[in-house]
């Protein structure tokens, strides 16, 4: 990244794509959209890969300030943040794997685990 703003934009872009895919999956899980295992699995594969992207942008010096919703606790509690980020990545990798097996119930359960962790991290490390 040439500037801290580039790192902020990079991680926000990755999280935006995660949110878009996650939202579509949530609509299926909640029954607001017809269940489509193939589409769900494709979105799970996408977000699993996307989840690996933001970490490097959080490490960019100066990216803790500027136009960001990231709380200062990310940097003051890097170890705690890293644990949650790694769990998020692992949960999404597990969701991607489970979704390929084609069982709707197991897929929905794995989605619930990932969603719970996602919300937990937002509570601790993101301004609303």
């Amino acid at each position: 990244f040439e500037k801290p703003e580039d790192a902020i934009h990079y991680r926000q872009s990755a999280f935006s794509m995660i949110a878009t895919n996650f939202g579509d999956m949530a609509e299926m899980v909640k029954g607001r959209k017809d269940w489509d295992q193939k589409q769900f699995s494709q979105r799970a594969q996408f977000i699993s890969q996307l989840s690996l992207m933001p970490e490097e942008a959080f490490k960019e010096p100066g990216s803790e300030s500027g136009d960001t919703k990231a709380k200062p606790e990310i940097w003051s509690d890097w170890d705690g943040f890293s644990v949650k980020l790694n769990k998020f990545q692992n949960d999404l990798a597990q969701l991607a794997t489970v979704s390929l097996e084609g069982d709707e119930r197991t897929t929905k359960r794995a989605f619930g685990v990932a969603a719970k962790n996602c919300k937990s991290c937002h509570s601790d490390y993101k301004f609303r």
Side-chain angles (χ1 to χ4, degrees), residues 50 53 68 107 114 121 126 128:
L50 286 165
M53 297 175 70
T68 180
T107 300
C121 196
K126 181 183 177 193
R128 299 195 189 255

Side-chain angles (χ1 to χ4, degrees), residues 97-123:
T97 298
V98 166
S99 72
L100 290 172
E101 296 169 4
D103 182 72
E104 182 178 340
R105 175 188 257 159
T106 306
T107 300
K108 286 180 176 179
R109 201 172 306 127
F111 178 85
V113 169
K116 183 178 178 182
N117 183 41
C118 192
K119 185 175 182 175
S120 166
C121 196
H122 283 200
S123 297

Side-chain angles (χ1 to χ4, degrees), residues 39-57:
Q39 182 182 33
F40 190 99
S41 181
Q42 181 181 39
R43 297 211 180 283
Q45 306 312 306
F46 291 159
I47 63 174
S48 178
Q49 290 301 306
L50 286 165
S51 73
L52 303 173
M53 297 175 70
E55 185 172 7
E56 71 173 311

Side-chain angles (χ1 to χ4, degrees), residues 2-117:
E2 290 185 27
K3 304 177 286 194
E5 297 83 25
D6 296 339
I8 293 168
H9 178 71
Y10 180 87
R11 67 182 185 235
Q12 288 175 341
S13 296
F15 282 127
S16 178
M17 289 188 290
I18 290 169
T20 297
N21 284 280
F22 209 86
D24 190 56
M25 295 161 67
E27 292 295 302
M28 284 188 240
V29 168
K30 293 175 182 177
R32 296 183 191 148
K33 182 176 178 177
D34 289 341
W35 184 260
D36 182 331
Q37 186 73 34
K38 184 177 178 182
Q39 182 182 33
F40 190 99
S41 181
Q42 181 181 39
R43 297 211 180 283
Q45 306 312 306
F46 291 159
I47 63 174
S48 178
Q49 290 301 306
L50 286 165
S51 73
L52 303 173
M53 297 175 70
E55 185 172 7
E56 71 173 311
F58 282 109
K59 294 177 180 176
E60 181 66 22
S63 71
E64 68 280 359
S65 58
D67 187 16
T68 180
K69 293 182 180 176
K71 288 183 176 179
E73 287 81 359
I74 290 173
W75 294 272
S76 65
D77 180 27
W78 183 258
D79 290 342
F81 176 71
S82 291
V83 167
K84 287 196 176 193
L85 184 59
N86 288 332
K87 182 167 177 13
F88 175 65
Q89 293 165 339
N90 290 333
D91 288 349
L92 292 179
Q94 179 65 24
L95 176 61
T97 298
V98 166
S99 72
L100 290 172
E101 296 169 4
D103 182 72
E104 182 178 340
R105 175 188 257 159
T106 306
T107 300
K108 286 180 176 179
R109 201 172 306 127
F111 178 85
V113 169
K116 183 178 178 182
N117 183 41

